[in-house]
Amino acid sequence: MWKFIHKLASPPHFYRLAAQIVPWLVVPGLLLVAYATYAGLFLAPADYQQGDAFRIIYVHVPSAYLSMMTYMIMAVSAGIGLIWRIKLSHAVAAAAAPLGAWFTFLALMTGSIWGKPMWGTWWEWGDPRLTSELIMLFLYFGYMALRGAIDDTVKADKSSAVLALVGAVNVPIIHFSVEWWSSLHQGPTLVKKGGPAMDTAMLYPLLAMILGFSFLFGALLLRRVRAEVLFRERRTRWVKEMVLSGGT
Protein backbone atom coordinates (compact mmCIF):
# COMPACT_ATOMS: atom_id res chain seq x y z
CA MET A 1 0.00 0.00 0.00
CA TRP A 2 2.72 2.46 1.04
CA LYS A 3 4.76 1.46 -1.99
CA PHE A 4 1.81 2.32 -4.25
CA ILE A 5 1.31 5.69 -2.54
CA HIS A 6 5.02 6.47 -2.78
CA LYS A 7 5.00 5.57 -6.46
CA LEU A 8 1.87 7.65 -7.06
CA ALA A 9 3.62 10.68 -5.55
CA SER A 10 6.30 10.41 -8.23
CA PRO A 11 5.67 13.20 -10.80
CA PRO A 12 6.58 11.15 -13.91
CA HIS A 13 4.48 8.17 -12.77
CA PHE A 14 1.51 10.38 -11.92
CA TYR A 15 1.85 12.27 -15.21
CA ARG A 16 1.56 9.06 -17.23
CA LEU A 17 -1.14 7.49 -15.04
CA ALA A 18 -3.33 10.61 -15.17
CA ALA A 19 -3.31 10.56 -18.96
CA GLN A 20 -4.68 7.02 -18.90
CA ILE A 21 -7.42 7.82 -16.37
CA VAL A 22 -8.83 10.97 -18.00
CA PRO A 23 -10.79 9.21 -20.83
CA TRP A 24 -12.40 6.87 -18.27
CA LEU A 25 -13.77 9.93 -16.49
CA VAL A 26 -14.79 12.01 -19.51
CA VAL A 27 -16.96 9.40 -21.25
CA PRO A 28 -19.19 8.41 -18.30
CA GLY A 29 -19.26 12.05 -17.19
CA LEU A 30 -20.66 13.24 -20.52
CA LEU A 31 -23.17 10.38 -20.67
CA LEU A 32 -24.44 11.10 -17.16
CA VAL A 33 -24.73 14.83 -17.82
CA ALA A 34 -26.58 14.15 -21.10
CA TYR A 35 -29.04 11.81 -19.37
CA ALA A 36 -29.54 14.17 -16.42
CA THR A 37 -30.11 17.16 -18.71
CA TYR A 38 -32.78 15.35 -20.72
CA ALA A 39 -34.46 13.78 -17.69
CA GLY A 40 -34.30 16.99 -15.67
CA LEU A 41 -35.78 19.14 -18.42
CA PHE A 42 -38.33 16.80 -19.99
CA LEU A 43 -39.07 13.85 -17.69
CA ALA A 44 -39.08 15.39 -14.22
CA PRO A 45 -42.44 16.92 -13.27
CA ALA A 46 -42.77 20.59 -12.39
CA ASP A 47 -42.51 21.40 -8.69
CA TYR A 48 -45.87 22.02 -7.04
CA GLN A 49 -44.65 25.34 -5.57
CA GLN A 50 -41.82 26.54 -7.81
CA GLY A 51 -43.08 25.26 -11.14
CA ASP A 52 -40.44 24.84 -13.84
CA ALA A 53 -38.13 27.32 -12.10
CA PHE A 54 -36.88 24.51 -9.87
CA ARG A 55 -35.05 22.91 -12.83
CA ILE A 56 -32.06 25.20 -12.27
CA ILE A 57 -31.35 22.86 -9.35
CA TYR A 58 -29.67 20.49 -11.83
CA VAL A 59 -26.87 23.02 -12.30
CA HIS A 60 -26.96 24.83 -8.98
CA VAL A 61 -26.68 21.86 -6.62
CA PRO A 62 -23.81 20.06 -8.44
CA SER A 63 -21.93 23.36 -8.70
CA ALA A 64 -22.41 24.14 -5.01
CA TYR A 65 -21.40 20.62 -4.02
CA LEU A 66 -18.25 20.75 -6.14
CA SER A 67 -17.37 24.23 -4.91
CA MET A 68 -17.07 22.82 -1.38
CA MET A 69 -15.55 19.48 -2.38
CA THR A 70 -12.90 21.22 -4.48
CA TYR A 71 -11.93 23.47 -1.59
CA MET A 72 -11.49 20.45 0.66
CA ILE A 73 -9.36 18.75 -2.00
CA MET A 74 -7.28 21.91 -2.25
CA ALA A 75 -6.93 22.27 1.53
CA VAL A 76 -6.13 18.60 2.17
CA SER A 77 -3.61 18.51 -0.67
CA ALA A 78 -2.00 21.72 0.56
CA GLY A 79 -1.86 20.32 4.09
CA ILE A 80 -0.22 17.08 2.91
CA GLY A 81 2.31 19.08 0.94
CA LEU A 82 3.01 21.35 3.91
CA ILE A 83 3.43 18.54 6.44
CA TRP A 84 5.05 15.76 4.40
CA ARG A 85 6.64 18.03 1.77
CA ILE A 86 5.17 16.14 -1.17
CA LYS A 87 5.54 18.44 -4.16
CA LEU A 88 2.78 16.70 -6.12
CA SER A 89 0.28 17.61 -3.39
CA HIS A 90 1.01 21.30 -3.87
CA ALA A 91 0.55 20.81 -7.61
CA VAL A 92 -2.90 19.30 -6.99
CA ALA A 93 -3.87 22.21 -4.73
CA ALA A 94 -2.68 24.79 -7.27
CA ALA A 95 -4.54 23.04 -10.09
CA ALA A 96 -7.77 22.70 -8.10
CA ALA A 97 -8.11 26.36 -7.09
CA PRO A 98 -9.29 27.84 -10.45
CA LEU A 99 -11.78 24.99 -10.91
CA GLY A 100 -13.16 25.56 -7.43
CA ALA A 101 -13.48 29.28 -8.08
CA TRP A 102 -15.47 28.63 -11.26
CA PHE A 103 -17.82 26.17 -9.55
CA THR A 104 -18.34 28.64 -6.70
CA PHE A 105 -19.09 31.44 -9.14
CA LEU A 106 -21.54 29.20 -11.02
CA ALA A 107 -23.24 28.21 -7.76
CA LEU A 108 -23.63 31.86 -6.77
CA MET A 109 -24.94 32.92 -10.18
CA THR A 110 -27.46 30.10 -10.52
CA GLY A 111 -28.51 30.62 -6.90
CA SER A 112 -29.10 34.30 -7.60
CA ILE A 113 -31.13 33.52 -10.72
CA TRP A 114 -33.15 30.98 -8.77
CA GLY A 115 -33.59 33.34 -5.85
CA LYS A 116 -35.15 36.17 -7.85
CA PRO A 117 -38.51 34.48 -8.57
CA MET A 118 -38.51 32.56 -5.26
CA TRP A 119 -37.40 35.27 -2.84
CA GLY A 120 -38.15 38.39 -4.85
CA THR A 121 -34.50 39.49 -4.80
CA TRP A 122 -31.27 38.60 -6.57
CA TRP A 123 -29.25 38.67 -3.38
CA GLU A 124 -29.81 38.73 0.37
CA TRP A 125 -26.81 39.73 2.46
CA GLY A 126 -28.46 38.47 5.63
CA ASP A 127 -28.60 34.90 4.34
CA PRO A 128 -25.74 32.87 5.90
CA ARG A 129 -25.53 30.33 3.05
CA LEU A 130 -25.11 33.00 0.38
CA THR A 131 -22.63 35.05 2.40
CA SER A 132 -20.44 32.10 3.41
CA GLU A 133 -20.41 30.81 -0.20
CA LEU A 134 -19.28 34.27 -1.36
CA ILE A 135 -16.54 34.23 1.28
CA MET A 136 -15.32 30.94 -0.19
CA LEU A 137 -15.05 32.56 -3.63
CA PHE A 138 -12.87 35.27 -2.07
CA LEU A 139 -10.77 32.55 -0.40
CA TYR A 140 -10.17 30.95 -3.79
CA PHE A 141 -9.22 34.33 -5.24
CA GLY A 142 -6.94 35.00 -2.28
CA TYR A 143 -5.22 31.64 -2.65
CA MET A 144 -4.56 32.19 -6.35
CA ALA A 145 -3.48 35.80 -5.83
CA LEU A 146 -1.04 34.80 -3.08
CA ARG A 147 0.50 32.11 -5.26
CA GLY A 148 0.83 34.53 -8.15
CA ALA A 149 2.44 37.20 -5.98
CA ILE A 150 5.35 34.99 -4.87
CA ASP A 151 7.94 34.08 -7.51
CA ASP A 152 9.63 31.34 -5.47
CA THR A 153 7.56 28.18 -5.96
CA VAL A 154 8.51 26.66 -2.60
CA LYS A 155 7.56 29.81 -0.67
CA ALA A 156 4.36 30.15 -2.69
CA ASP A 157 3.43 26.56 -1.86
CA LYS A 158 3.95 27.06 1.88
CA SER A 159 2.21 30.43 2.14
CA SER A 160 -0.81 29.44 0.07
CA ALA A 161 -1.10 26.12 1.94
CA VAL A 162 -1.51 27.98 5.24
CA LEU A 163 -4.24 30.17 3.73
CA ALA A 164 -6.03 27.13 2.30
CA LEU A 165 -6.00 25.35 5.65
CA VAL A 166 -7.27 28.40 7.55
CA GLY A 167 -10.05 28.93 5.03
CA ALA A 168 -11.21 25.32 5.31
CA VAL A 169 -13.16 26.26 8.44
CA ASN A 170 -15.64 28.01 6.12
CA VAL A 171 -16.71 24.76 4.42
CA PRO A 172 -18.66 23.28 7.37
CA ILE A 173 -20.13 26.73 7.97
CA ILE A 174 -21.54 26.71 4.43
CA HIS A 175 -22.86 23.17 4.80
CA PHE A 176 -24.58 23.62 8.15
CA SER A 177 -25.55 27.30 7.83
CA VAL A 178 -29.17 26.53 6.94
CA GLU A 179 -29.46 24.43 10.10
CA TRP A 180 -27.58 26.72 12.48
CA TRP A 181 -29.22 30.00 11.54
CA SER A 182 -32.50 31.34 10.16
CA SER A 183 -32.11 31.42 6.39
CA LEU A 184 -34.03 32.19 3.23
CA HIS A 185 -32.18 29.31 1.62
CA GLN A 186 -34.11 26.06 1.77
CA GLY A 187 -32.90 23.38 4.15
CA PRO A 188 -31.21 20.07 3.27
CA THR A 189 -32.95 18.19 0.46
CA LEU A 190 -30.71 15.22 -0.33
CA VAL A 191 -28.97 14.47 2.97
CA LYS A 192 -31.56 14.61 5.71
CA LYS A 193 -33.21 12.39 8.28
CA GLY A 194 -35.86 10.23 6.65
CA GLY A 195 -34.23 10.33 3.21
CA PRO A 196 -34.26 12.81 0.31
CA ALA A 197 -37.25 15.13 0.19
CA MET A 198 -37.73 14.80 -3.57
CA ASP A 199 -39.81 12.75 -5.92
CA THR A 200 -37.71 10.01 -7.54
CA ALA A 201 -38.41 11.45 -11.00
CA MET A 202 -36.64 14.64 -9.82
CA LEU A 203 -34.08 12.91 -7.63
CA TYR A 204 -32.47 10.49 -10.09
CA PRO A 205 -31.55 13.17 -12.68
CA LEU A 206 -30.09 15.29 -9.88
CA LEU A 207 -27.95 12.44 -8.57
CA ALA A 208 -26.85 11.63 -12.13
CA MET A 209 -25.92 15.28 -12.71
CA ILE A 210 -23.89 15.44 -9.48
CA LEU A 211 -22.05 12.25 -10.45
CA GLY A 212 -21.54 13.45 -14.03
CA PHE A 213 -20.19 16.81 -12.87
CA SER A 214 -17.88 14.96 -10.47
CA PHE A 215 -16.47 12.75 -13.22
CA LEU A 216 -15.86 15.74 -15.49
CA PHE A 217 -14.31 17.67 -12.62
CA GLY A 218 -11.96 14.76 -12.01
CA ALA A 219 -10.92 14.77 -15.65
CA LEU A 220 -10.34 18.54 -15.66
CA LEU A 221 -8.40 18.35 -12.42
CA LEU A 222 -6.12 15.60 -13.71
CA ARG A 223 -5.43 17.53 -16.90
CA ARG A 224 -4.63 20.66 -14.92
CA VAL A 225 -2.39 18.73 -12.52
CA ARG A 226 -0.50 17.25 -15.49
CA ALA A 227 0.10 20.77 -16.80
CA GLU A 228 1.19 21.95 -13.35
CA VAL A 229 3.56 18.99 -12.96
CA LEU A 230 5.03 19.62 -16.39
CA PHE A 231 5.70 23.27 -15.51
CA ARG A 232 7.27 22.42 -12.15
CA GLU A 233 9.40 19.62 -13.59
CA ARG A 234 10.33 21.41 -16.82
CA ARG A 235 14.07 21.34 -16.03
CA THR A 236 14.19 17.68 -15.02
CA ARG A 237 15.64 14.90 -17.12
CA TRP A 238 12.41 12.94 -17.60
CA VAL A 239 10.58 15.97 -19.05
CA LYS A 240 13.44 16.75 -21.43
CA GLU A 241 13.54 13.12 -22.57
CA MET A 242 9.77 13.10 -23.07
CA VAL A 243 9.92 16.27 -25.17
CA LEU A 244 12.77 14.95 -27.27
CA SER A 245 10.94 11.66 -27.87
CA GLY A 246 7.76 13.50 -28.84
CA GLY A 247 5.75 12.02 -25.96
CA THR A 248 2.79 13.63 -24.19
Side-chain angles (χ1 to χ4, degrees), residues 30-235:
L30 291 175
L31 291 175
L32 284 166
V33 169
Y35 156 73
T37 300
Y38 175 77
L41 291 177
F42 302 107
L43 301 182
D47 184 77
Y48 76 101
Q49 286 184 320
Q50 303 181 34
D52 286 323
F54 96 96
R55 299 184 195 279
I56 201 170
I57 195 174
Y58 296 112
V59 176
H60 176 69
V61 169
S63 300
Y65 159 73
L66 282 170
S67 70
M68 292 184 285
M69 186 184 77
T70 305
Y71 195 95
M72 291 310 301
I73 290 174
M74 183 181 77
V76 170
S77 299
I80 292 173
L82 189 64
I83 297 169
W84 286 287
R85 299 180 182 180
I86 299 176
K87 296 179 181 179
L88 183 60
S89 295
H90 287 301
V92 172
L99 296 177
W102 275 112
F103 280 120
T104 305
F105 177 77
L106 185 58
L108 288 169
M109 290 300 98
T110 52
S112 180
I113 294 170
W114 194 2
K116 178 59 177 177
M118 298 300 108
W119 303 340
T121 181
W122 296 100
W123 188 267
E124 176 54 57
W125 285 105
D127 186 84
R129 172 64 65 84
L130 296 179
T131 304
S132 54
E133 184 79 7
L134 180 62
I135 290 173
M136 186 163 66
L137 180 61
F138 292 151
L139 286 169
Y140 276 123
F141 287 160
Y143 176 90
M144 291 186 289
L146 182 60
R147 290 196 63 87
I150 302 174
D151 294 330
D152 187 284
T153 303
V154 175
K155 291 181 179 179
D157 286 340
K158 292 180 179 179
S159 300
S160 58
V162 172
L163 176 60
L165 289 171
V166 172
V169 70
N170 188 51
V171 175
I173 292 176
I174 296 173
H175 181 73
F176 293 107
S177 60
V178 293
E179 300 178 24
W180 291 345
W181 299 289
S182 176
S183 173
L184 283 174
H185 197 284
Q186 69 185 60
T189 301
L190 293 178
V191 182
K192 60 179 299 183
K193 187 177 180 179
M198 294 182 70
D199 183 270
T200 55
M202 300 175 177
L203 176 63
Y204 292 157
L206 179 58
L207 294 176
M209 189 68 85
I210 292 173
L211 189 57
F213 266 48
S214 298
F215 276 127
L216 294 177
F217 160 75
L220 288 172
L221 179 61
L222 288 177
R223 289 185 65 87
R224 285 190 55 81
V225 176
R226 290 184 82 230
E228 183 71 21
V229 166
L230 205 60
F231 175 77
R232 289 167 177 257
E233 299 283 307
R234 63 190 181 279
R235 294 185 178 90

